[in-house]
Amino acid sequence: MESLDMNLLDPWNTPFGLAPFDAISDADFAPTMDAALAQARSGMQAIATSSDAPSFENTIEAQEVAEEPLNQLAAAFYTLASTDSTPLREELQRDFAPKLSAYASAVTSNVALFARIEDLWSRRASLGLSPEQERVLMLTRRDFIRAGAKLTGAEAARMAEIKSRLASLGTSFMQNLLADERDWTLPLQTDDLAGLPDFVLQAAKAAGQEKGLDGPVVTLSRSLIVPFLEFSDRRDLRETAYKAWAARGANGGETDNREIVRETLQLRQEQAALLGYKSFAEFKLETQMAKTPARVRDLLMQVWHPAKARAEADGAILTQMMAEDGLNGPLMAWDWRYYAQKRRRADHDLDEAELKPYLQLDQMIAAAFDCAQRLFGLTFQELSLPLHHKDARVWEVCRNGAHVALFIGDYFARSGKRSGAWCSALQSQRKRPSPRAPIVINVCNFAKPSGGAPALLSFDDARTLFHEFGHALHQMLSDVSYSAVSGTSVARDFVELPSQLYEHWLEVPEVLQKFAIHAQTGAAMPDDLLKRMLGAATFDMGFQTVEYIASALVDLSFHETAAPQDPMLQQAEVLADIGMPAAIGMRHATPQFAHVFAGDGYSSGYYSYMWSEVMDADAFASFEEAGGPFDLERARALQDNILSRGGSADAQELYVAFRGKLPDATALLHNRGL
């Protein structure tokens, strides 16, 4: 890319305000970030020292205006850094993390600025604020207090040090994990291919090509290693691959994350103590729907016991299948998926190799779009615009001919791309201080095909696509005044509701009948295969639930007690206490638990997927109780009370407005077949 001939701190004069990815050079980021930070500091100081009496506009709204150039630059940079990392971009991340933390600390410790916020808060009843403005004021004040605005002297200085160090540790954790995933490969010779269906072999060949290697390879991308573990007849290679996958972040040397975890937990504990909380979990959960660690633990254990019982019963069957193959030892973690896949074929007459040609990526994207059109009246027109990577695609989203949003999809795994799947906004919706339409990106890590073949998904991949698109809808349908409460700016244990709810439409038979089209023949999925696939929806759910809850309980344990000197020992103790089945690994072992240690977004909060699942099961039931999955009255209620409202009201209030009541875990247990 050529060096920039425009000022990155000005509003971007580009189609839809999209970042000018074709014009930005990596060399532009460091000086522009320094300039953006200086400009934001100056703007915030001007607000703090203004001689005008505090008002919502000159104190709260003005903060967003002051930070706008910084936020647009950061959104562009971190999109590039997370989807197409390079050594230079990783170096920039390490440089930016403490600088951004220092800026945030300077803002929240600005005594004069906080005094203006407190003045507004004390006079809020007489200010004529709208309900949304009063909530934004409350959230702003709360964020300042929780960041340490009331601390003084040595305590305030120490809080700034802690936050700076945590920012650097989170960056290092993610970069170490990415390095371990990027650097490991298992080359496959002809004798190593036994049992692998063509779609796995094609993905392995594409992975080899992407890495510049001659021949197929297994990588630590979930979209490749999981099907390898499911199908490879070579138990020795499954063991090698699984152990490498499980060891990410714990291989010793420069990329080992265990010391980062220990220091992170100690700093979080100290941070909570400075703010007057007994534990970091107590501090973190105070603003969530769950409120307390005890309520989280109660939910997790309510589901743990039936899930563990199911997993142990399934494990006994898989062990017997091993014995029938002449293997008399215990069932191991690298055996479970292989024998579960065999059992799935036997019990449900369902073979992933038979199923996968019907789940084309392009067709599943079309299915997600079609459901959004039927439910919310949205249309999608693909455009040609400069994006952050050549594999990414972009659509204009409209309703009744009017622009609603820009949606970007970046679907394929590659070296330098963060693992997992996520949704983020390059630009959030707002009406004030000036109107702005959202620019939303979904990032996934599906296996890229070789030789121009269509990309094929597993049913789990397709579910991931719908999940992330549910997050995107939360962003795109946002209709609030302020970006502080726009889209997914909600309680962490509420944010997964729209995404998990949208997954249900993937299982609606009429959706699959229309879009599950065979990649070679163009034929629709046969009714019998469709019924078998949906009938197996809860297959191996004991395993899936156990691996998830184990991770959530370890996360909670780390943060609700004193920080451990040896986190790996505490992980082992938690798993022993709950009786973790030996043949099932945690979904995210501690050294690779990016949700929790690459930042504090899900720290004490990994439970939130299950908390939201209680609601999503109940919410979809409301459609079924009404006119069916595409009942327009229920869709309007979902949009008006949840998707459009963002964080403009309390999450519990929003859910009750949609459903009329709060749910319990009954629907969740039913949906999981437990």
Side-chain angles (χ1 to χ4, degrees):
M1 291 181 286
E2 296 181 359
S3 189
L4 198 65
D5 60 0
M6 62 185 287
N7 186 352
L8 275 177
L9 300 187
D10 291 336
W12 290 336
N13 185 23
T14 56
F16 309 100
L18 180 65
F21 287 112
D22 59 335
I24 302 174
S25 165
D26 285 347
D28 296 314
F29 280 118
T32 310
M33 183 65 79
D34 287 341
L37 286 165
Q39 183 174 315
R41 280 195 190 91
S42 176
M44 287 296 194
Q45 186 61 18
I47 297 167
T49 58
S50 172
S51 58
D52 294 334
S55 69
F56 188 88
E57 290 74 17
N58 71 21
T59 301
I60 304 300
E61 279 190 19
Q63 291 183 52
E64 176 154 335
V65 175
E67 292 184 333
E68 212 160 83
L70 174 62
N71 289 337
Q72 76 171 10
L73 179 70
F77 172 73
Y78 284 102
T79 296
L80 286 165
S82 61
T83 62
D84 193 20
S85 185
T86 64
L88 175 57
R89 288 172 183 168
E90 291 183 1
E91 181 182 340
L92 288 169
Q93 281 183 282
R94 293 191 293 270
D95 181 49
F96 292 165
K99 290 181 178 180
L100 289 165
S101 177
Y103 164 76
S105 293
V107 170
T108 54
S109 62
N110 188 316
V111 175
L113 180 57
F114 183 59
R116 292 178 71 88
I117 295 168
E118 286 284 65
D119 176 74
L120 290 174
W121 182 248
S122 69
R123 295 186 292 115
R124 63 190 181 279
S126 63
L127 295 176
L129 301 178
S130 69
E132 184 180 325
Q133 287 176 322
E134 185 164 337
R135 181 162 176 83
V136 170
L137 174 59
M138 181 277 289
L139 292 171
T140 302
R141 177 178 181 267
R142 188 179 75 181
D143 288 347
F144 268 68
I145 292 171
R146 288 171 62 81
K150 291 189 173 183
L151 299 178
T152 59
E155 289 186 338
R158 179 57 182 157
M159 179 63 78
E161 291 174 357
I162 289 172
K163 288 191 286 188
S164 177
R165 180 60 179 158
L166 284 172
S168 295
L169 290 171
T171 298
S172 295
F173 184 98
M174 193 68 239
Q175 291 184 353
N176 289 345
L177 181 57
L178 181 61
D180 278 3
E181 292 174 345
R182 181 178 57 220
D183 295 344
W184 187 90
T185 57
L186 176 64
L188 299 177
Q189 307 303 322
T190 302
D191 292 346
D192 302 334
L193 306 179
L196 298 183
D198 186 64
F199 75 85
V200 179
L201 182 56
Q202 292 304 315
K205 287 179 178 178
Q209 290 171 1
E210 198 263 339
K211 290 189 173 292
L213 302 174
D214 184 19
V217 301
V218 178
T219 69
L220 297 183
S221 170
R222 179 177 286 270
S223 62
L224 179 51
I225 195 168
V226 168
F228 181 79
L229 292 170
E230 289 174 337
F231 290 103
S232 175
D233 290 339
R234 289 285 301 275
R235 192 185 189 213
D236 58 333
L237 297 183
R238 296 200 312 267
E239 179 179 359
T240 298
Y242 180 86
K243 286 182 173 178
W245 195 34
R248 291 169 296 154
N251 284 304
E254 294 182 355
T255 64
D256 198 295
N257 276 331
R258 287 171 287 190
E259 176 56 28
I260 288 176
V261 168
R262 186 196 64 77
E263 186 179 353
T264 296
L265 292 172
Q266 290 186 341
L267 290 173
R268 286 177 179 168
Q269 175 66 29
E270 185 180 355
Q271 180 184 18
L274 282 170
L275 294 169
Y277 295 87
K278 290 185 293 186
S279 69
F280 187 81
E282 183 186 83
F283 162 70
K284 194 70 186 294
L285 293 172
E286 180 184 50
T287 60
Q288 307 303 308
M289 290 184 74
K291 302 299 183 191
T292 67
R295 289 188 72 191
V296 172
R297 187 172 293 279
D298 284 348
L299 171 66
L300 293 174
M301 295 310 296
Q302 185 178 348
V303 183
W304 170 259
H305 295 295
K308 181 187 172 189
R310 172 64 58 83
E312 289 175 336
D314 289 344
I317 294 171
L318 302 185
T319 301
Q320 179 59 37
M321 293 173 67
M322 276 182 59
E324 291 168 1
D325 280 353
L327 298 171
N328 295 317
L331 181 72
M332 304 300 289
W334 47 89
D335 297 317
W336 190 294
R337 288 176 175 84
Y338 178 76
Y339 283 97
Q341 188 64 226
K342 278 192 167 187
R343 184 185 173 199
R344 186 178 183 228
R345 289 197 294 270
D347 289 3
H348 295 276
D349 191 20
L350 194 63
D351 186 341
E352 187 78 15
E354 176 190 12
L355 183 62
K356 205 157 185 175
Y358 290 98
L359 300 175
Q360 299 177 66
L361 172 60
D362 283 353
Q363 287 294 106
M364 293 301 100
I365 294 171
F369 288 175
D370 186 68
C371 290
Q373 192 280 322
R374 294 179 65 182
L375 291 165
F376 309 115
L378 301 178
T379 60
F380 300 81
Q381 177 65 47
E382 189 160 9
L383 305 176
S384 178
L385 294 173
L387 298 173
H388 61 282
H389 193 274
K390 60 183 176 60
D391 284 347
R393 302 165 66 183
V394 60
W395 293 263
E396 183 184 9
V397 186
C398 295
R399 179 154 51 190
N400 299 324
H403 178 77
V404 172
L406 209 60
F407 173 69
I408 300 168
D410 182 352
Y411 295 109
F412 294 127
R414 55 180 172 266
S415 294
K417 190 179 194 181
R418 202 177 88 202
S419 60
W422 66 93
C423 174
S424 59
L426 283 146
Q427 180 170 283
S428 296
Q429 178 272 332
R430 73 177 188 200
K431 298 173 184 174
R432 294 177 60 92
S434 58
R436 205 166 62 180
I439 301 175
V440 186
I441 180 170
N442 276 177
V443 182
C444 300
N445 271 282
F446 304 141
K448 187 175 182 179
S450 62
L456 305 179
L457 306 183
S458 67
F459 195 61
D460 188 55
D461 287 338
R463 185 179 287 112
T464 295
L465 186 147
F466 268 68
H467 177 102
E468 298 307 332
F469 193 72
H471 281 309
L473 286 171
H474 203 180
Q475 296 274 17
M476 293 189 291
L477 292 173
S478 179
D479 187 24
V480 298
S481 294
Y482 300 100
S483 62
V485 291
S486 176
T488 56
S489 298
V490 299
R492 182 63 65 180
D493 51 9
F494 192 64
V495 77
E496 299 298 338
L497 168 61
S499 54
Q500 293 179 184
L501 175 58
Y502 206 65
E503 293 177 32
H504 289 270
W505 274 273
L506 177 62
E507 297 187 358
V508 173
E510 65 184 275
V511 173
L512 289 166
Q513 287 162 353
K514 182 176 180 180
F515 292 99
I517 305 299
H518 197 281
Q520 276 74 50
T521 68
M525 183 181 289
D527 287 344
D528 177 59
L529 179 58
L530 177 62
K531 289 176 182 176
R532 284 184 279 134
M533 182 179 76
L534 295 178
T538 60
F539 177 76
D540 213 23
M541 192 56 72
F543 170 89
Q544 295 177 42
T545 307
V546 160
E547 64 166 5
Y548 164 78
I549 293 181
S551 293
L553 286 170
V554 168
D555 165 43
L556 185 65
S557 173
F558 279 156
H559 295 101
E560 70 175 338
T561 57
Q565 286 299 315
D566 185 348
M568 300 308 295
L569 177 60
Q570 182 157 328
Q571 173 184 293
E573 290 171 347
V574 170
L575 299 182
D577 286 345
I578 60 176
M580 182 73 170
I584 302 179
M586 295 168 63
R587 183 168 299 177
H588 304 288
T590 296
Q592 61 212 227
F593 208 164
H595 282 78
V596 173
F597 295 109
D600 77 347
Y602 282 88
S603 55
S604 305
Y606 194 62
Y607 76 91
S608 59
Y609 290 92
M610 185 152 285
W611 189 273
S612 292
E613 190 178 343
V614 172
M615 290 182 285
D616 83 62
D618 177 67
F620 192 71
S622 79
F623 279 84
E624 295 175 315
E625 292 162 8
F630 292 99
D631 183 82
L632 293 182
E633 184 178 330
R634 284 280 78 203
R636 170 59 68 176
L638 178 64
Q639 177 180 311
D640 289 351
N641 295 299
I642 294 177
L643 297 179
S644 70
R645 297 289 304 279
S648 62
D650 178 76
Q652 183 167 303
E653 175 187 326
L654 293 177
Y655 190 82
V656 171
F658 162 71
R659 187 65 164 112
K661 62 181 178 67
L662 286 173
D664 59 27
T666 303
L668 178 149
L669 292 168
H670 174 75
N671 276 17
R672 285 187 170 241
L674 300 176

